[in-house]
Amino acid sequence: MEEKIHKILIVDDEDYIIEGLTVILKPEGYKIDSANDGEEALQKLRNDAYSLALIDLDIPKLDGLELLAEIKKNDLLTEVVIITGKGSINTAVEAMKNGAYDYLTKPVEPDRLKSLVPKALEHYQLLISYRNLETQLRHLTRYESLIGQSTQMRDVYRTIDAVADSTANVVITGESGTGKELVARAVHHKSDRARGPFIGLNCAAFPREILENELFGHEAGAFTGALKEKAGYFELAHGGTLFLDEVGEMPLEIQAKFLRVLEERSFRRLGGKKEISVDVRIIAATNRDLDQAMGEKTLREDLYYRLCVVEIKMPPLRDRMGDIELLALEFTKNFAEKNKKKVNGISPRCFSVLNRYSWPGNVRELKNVIERAVILCRSHIIELEDLPPRITQAKLGTQQINLPLGTTLDDCEKEIILRTLDHTENNKTQTAKILGVSLKTLHNKLNQYKFKG
Ligand SMILES: Nc1ncnc2c1ncn2[C@@H]1O[C@H](COP(=O)(O)OP(=O)(O)OP(=O)(O)O)[C@@H](O)[C@H]1O
Ligand SMILES: [Mg+2]
């Protein structure tokens, strides 16, 4: 493998020190760059991959310790070695506690420098390989706790993977209880922001003033009662993901300010003058029809297009009935554990009822039904009596089968079987469940029809 050429940044306000260190290090085969103050250094470290930074403690703008803190806060992978005068060794030790690799005292001895740098770089390499491993693991982990193997859910997983690696803003749409928040978390955890914060805010939960304050924060004295400064959600989510739930309910006044943050990637706190720049990915969710909201002018069109770079549509549970069994069993296992009960299954008749219901409350409703059933259950298997009446008494959709008087029992059976197959789009497992027969019985019957025509 080709040996990597390491880039080293020397940060000192005295040019002669930079020159001195460069003269020692350059012949060793490193690429050397320099900065004269903390801010310039941070800028360079953010924009380029340096393996190592040699930082003098006493530099203008951000001092050495502050610069180190920024490097750690921003999760930059650069290794840090502190350079210090004899008088400030205590500070150097403090820097090591805060994540510096080691320190050198001035005047720097060339031999000590030449032996320390390779060790620091080795440490850097270790860190990098550890990070790579972490990234791989992240890709192997499941999609949060999302359950489902239906084609619809597989499409969702595929989109999660695709957007996780991008920086695009995402809108997740779908009925209540379809798993929008879980998907938002999955996108975050699969992205390279996974180590950053995931901050959620429900736009429908607050009146305008409070929502504005929550999002943008304020300076002390911005309004009566604003005694202390407060960071808003945009700041808190820096380096991570901001999940805006029910974004369709965001008041128009805030939408304008929000749009500006998306465009400029910076904002001011309420009552503040300073521009604060932020790096956040926005994931918005809504169970409202955003096209309609745009038509009604309750959602700004420009905001819609900014947000909706990728849309993830969550299918309602009734459109992926094939996942019911998986979901129900997983929930049973979880709630049995939580409630310390020995429930470990669901009776076939129960399944047939669960498969027949239309689930207007989607996965959330199913989860609640199973929780209740586990609590009520007196044996180790959930029985019909453990389900709420609205489920056991529900009719299969509104579709009816009309059979004229005089139809034979055999023909009735055939009609019912074929119509149910139609309804499940030829899903035999589900058809068998709805009809309360085994898959084998269903196959036998279908074979008979084939021969009898
Ligand atoms: N595919 C899934 N697998 C496992 N659990 C799920 C799945 N989808 C949803 N859930 C569970 O259902 C409940 C509702 O999910 P979630 O809060 O993500 O829905 P939502 O779409 O955000 O709903 P709302 O619009 O009402 O906020 C949660 O308890 C969640 O854990
Ligand atoms: Mg939600």
Side-chain angles (χ1 to χ4, degrees), residues 362-423:
N362 295 297
V363 185
R364 180 182 289 118
E365 186 180 12
L366 176 62
K367 198 170 171 180
N368 291 341
V369 164
I370 299 290
E371 178 170 24
R372 174 183 184 275
V374 168
I375 292 170
L376 293 179
C377 184
R378 272 165 296 176
S379 69
H380 61 283
I381 299 249
I382 295 177
E383 295 289 352
L384 224 42
E385 67 207 35
D386 303 324
L387 299 182
R390 73 166 192 285
I391 310 253
T392 47
Q393 286 159 18
K395 306 271 183 309
L396 175 58
T398 48
Q399 293 173 37
Q400 309 259 332
I401 301 177
N402 279 322
L403 294 164
L405 260 182
T407 316
T408 64
L409 262 184
D410 277 350
D411 283 345
C412 284
E413 190 181 85
K414 181 176 169 185
E415 180 67 13
I416 291 172
I417 290 176
L418 295 181
R419 287 285 299 274
T420 314
L421 259 182
D422 261 359
H423 171 78

Side-chain angles (χ1 to χ4, degrees), residues 132-149:
N132 287 342
L133 207 67
E134 242 187 5
T135 314
Q136 281 171 24
L137 272 179
R138 209 169 54 224
H139 282 281
L140 285 176
T141 49
R142 293 177 44 201
Y143 299 83
E144 202 66 11
S145 39
L146 282 167
I147 302 164
Q149 289 302 327

Side-chain angles (χ1 to χ4, degrees), residues 145-147 153 175-182 245 287 320 327 331 363-364 367:
S145 39
L146 282 167
I147 302 164
M153 283 310 286
E175 292 175 16
S176 180
T178 46
K180 296 187 292 294
E181 179 155 355
L182 281 189
D245 208 354
N287 47 31
R320 54 179 188 107
L327 284 159
F331 291 151
V363 185
R364 180 182 289 118
K367 198 170 171 180

Side-chain angles (χ1 to χ4, degrees), residues 260-406:
R260 199 183 146 256
V261 185
L262 292 183
E263 276 168 354
E264 323 248 319
R265 310 208 148 265
S266 74
F267 69 101
R268 285 185 221 130
R269 288 179 179 171
L270 302 183
K273 292 207 174 60
K274 196 173 71 178
E275 281 287 326
I276 301 176
S277 55
V278 280
D279 166 31
V280 276
R281 172 190 339 233
I282 307 289
I283 303 183
T286 177
N287 47 31
R288 272 184 62 181
D289 183 341
L290 288 184
D291 283 325
Q292 192 188 338
M294 234 166 25
E296 290 166 2
K297 304 254 181 270
T298 52
L299 179 71
R300 289 177 67 116
E301 207 177 311
D302 42 10
L303 179 60
Y304 173 82
Y305 290 116
R306 273 271 161 191
L307 277 181
C308 207
V309 182
V310 179
E311 179 177 354
I312 304 182
K313 285 195 174 121
M314 293 309 292
L317 185 53
R318 65 182 166 281
D319 287 353
R320 54 179 188 107
M321 294 295 272
D323 282 336
I324 292 221
E325 189 164 337
L326 212 60
L327 284 159
L329 285 174
E330 193 68 25
F331 291 151
T332 304
K333 208 172 83 191
N334 295 345
F335 285 119
E337 229 166 76
K338 197 166 146 201
N339 293 289
K340 301 198 172 47
K341 294 198 65 164
K342 291 212 161 47
V343 189
N344 59 13
I346 298 175
S347 77
R349 281 180 63 207
C350 251
F351 266 132
S352 132
V353 166
L354 295 179
N355 271 307
R356 203 164 60 195
Y357 184 62
S358 63
W359 302 106
N362 295 297
V363 185
R364 180 182 289 118
E365 186 180 12
L366 176 62
K367 198 170 171 180
N368 291 341
V369 164
I370 299 290
E371 178 170 24
R372 174 183 184 275
V374 168
I375 292 170
L376 293 179
C377 184
R378 272 165 296 176
S379 69
H380 61 283
I381 299 249
I382 295 177
E383 295 289 352
L384 224 42
E385 67 207 35
D386 303 324
L387 299 182
R390 73 166 192 285
I391 310 253
T392 47
Q393 286 159 18
K395 306 271 183 309
L396 175 58
T398 48
Q399 293 173 37
Q400 309 259 332
I401 301 177
N402 279 322
L403 294 164
L405 260 182

Side-chain angles (χ1 to χ4, degrees), residues 135-206:
T135 314
Q136 281 171 24
L137 272 179
R138 209 169 54 224
H139 282 281
L140 285 176
T141 49
R142 293 177 44 201
Y143 299 83
E144 202 66 11
S145 39
L146 282 167
I147 302 164
Q149 289 302 327
S150 54
T151 16
Q152 288 92 330
M153 283 310 286
R154 286 201 203 149
D155 282 345
V156 169
Y157 301 147
R158 219 171 298 129
T159 321
I160 290 176
D161 274 342
V163 294
D165 288 334
S166 77
T167 53
N169 294 327
V170 181
V171 169
I172 307 168
T173 54
E175 292 175 16
S176 180
T178 46
K180 296 187 292 294
E181 179 155 355
L182 281 189
V183 169
R185 288 180 187 276
V187 171
H188 173 74
H189 282 135
K190 291 213 144 220
S191 75
D192 56 8
R193 298 169 174 268
R195 293 165 62 91
F198 177 91
I199 306 256
L201 179 67
N202 186 333
C203 299
F206 304 101

Side-chain angles (χ1 to χ4, degrees), residues 218-286:
H218 63 245
E219 295 296 343
F223 48 84
T224 349
L227 299 179
K228 276 199 267 171
E229 56 162 35
K230 171 187 154 87
Y233 278 56
F234 276 116
E235 275 168 87
L236 297 179
H238 181 63
T241 304
L242 178 58
F243 174 56
L244 292 175
D245 208 354
E246 304 204 36
V247 75
E249 308 300 319
M250 185 183 273
L252 274 170
E253 298 94 321
I254 298 188
Q255 289 180 27
K257 274 184 89 166
F258 178 35
L259 179 68
R260 199 183 146 256
V261 185
L262 292 183
E263 276 168 354
E264 323 248 319
R265 310 208 148 265
S266 74
F267 69 101
R268 285 185 221 130
R269 288 179 179 171
L270 302 183
K273 292 207 174 60
K274 196 173 71 178
E275 281 287 326
I276 301 176
S277 55
V278 280
D279 166 31
V280 276
R281 172 190 339 233
I282 307 289
I283 303 183
T286 177

